[in-house]
Amino acid sequence: MANEFQVGDQKATMPPAQILIIRHGEKPGDPCVDSGADGPDLSIKGHERAAALAFNIPATFGKIDHLFATQKSTHSDRPRETITPLAAALNLKINADYADGDFEKIAEHILGHPKYSGACILICWHHGKIPQLAAALHVANPPSPWPCRVFDRVWMIDYEAGNAVLRDVPQKLLYGDLDS
């Protein structure tokens, strides 16, 4: 199926034009410890990143058509919090129907539903599952693991001639963000 993506009964005649995947903004405490002891919310720096993304994403990548974030859990609401300023700026709703481990389900939903054909989609997820999410979106051999101290990347997936091509793009939004 060169230019057709089908999942179950849903059929998309073409894939999304582009999918952007970002990690949620900074969290309090040690970014390499997933204990939830520091709370489910963003740190001050995480809120600064979220505010900056609201301007940076449209300026850098153009029109965004759909937003997704992981479902709130007892340990984290950071993905939704990270893109809330972007959603407000773009007047878009955030689809937060999928849990962190549901990366295959969200990929099936996006690649199989006709309303996402040719669209630009941004997904904000937890770093531990981003490589598997990219693989579920048909990226061959995505870098893995996502480094636990890295919050400043955008994984840009373009579907060129039916193939998912991944580019790792620096955000360069806050002091300390890397250029490459």
Side-chain angles (χ1 to χ4, degrees):
M1 293 196 306
N3 288 329
E4 187 174 285
F5 287 75
Q6 182 161 355
V7 180
D9 294 338
Q10 300 283 346
K11 183 170 37 173
T13 56
M14 57 189 264
Q18 188 173 76
I19 298 177
L20 306 173
I21 304 175
I22 62 172
R23 179 186 184 181
H24 61 74
E26 287 81 350
K27 63 183 191 172
D30 187 340
C32 295
V33 176
D34 289 330
S35 69
D38 294 314
D41 301 313
L42 293 171
S43 68
I44 291 171
K45 188 170 183 178
H47 282 288
E48 291 171 352
R49 182 171 305 284
L53 285 167
F55 297 98
N56 174 269
I57 292 292
T60 304
F61 299 99
K63 183 179 183 291
I64 304 296
D65 300 301
H66 303 280
L67 298 171
F68 289 87
T70 56
Q71 193 175 69
K72 182 179 181 177
S73 72
T74 56
H75 295 287
S76 178
D77 195 24
R78 289 181 288 275
R80 187 194 55 77
E81 289 178 346
T82 299
I83 61 173
T84 293
L86 177 62
L90 300 177
N91 197 28
L92 291 174
K93 285 181 52 178
I94 299 170
N95 180 327
D97 294 341
Y98 297 92
D100 185 42
D102 290 341
F103 51 87
E104 289 180 352
K105 289 181 184 176
I106 190 174
E108 288 176 6
H109 174 75
I110 290 170
L111 295 178
H113 201 292
K115 80 176 185 178
Y116 303 115
S117 291
C120 187
I121 298 165
L122 182 131
I123 303 171
C124 187
W125 219 253
H126 293 282
H127 78 283
K129 300 286 193 264
I130 289 177
Q132 294 97 317
L133 173 60
L137 292 166
H138 298 176
V139 172
N141 304 311
S144 185
W146 182 291
C148 62
R149 298 193 187 284
V150 173
F151 293 88
D152 63 346
R153 311 306 297 174
V154 177
W155 279 10
M156 181 175 73
I157 303 170
D158 288 307
Y159 291 89
E160 299 171 1
N163 297 312
V165 177
L166 174 74
R167 291 176 185 84
D168 184 357
V169 180
Q171 292 177 1
K172 297 189 278 188
L173 297 175
L174 303 178
Y175 178 78
D177 282 3
L178 300 175
D179 286 337
S180 58

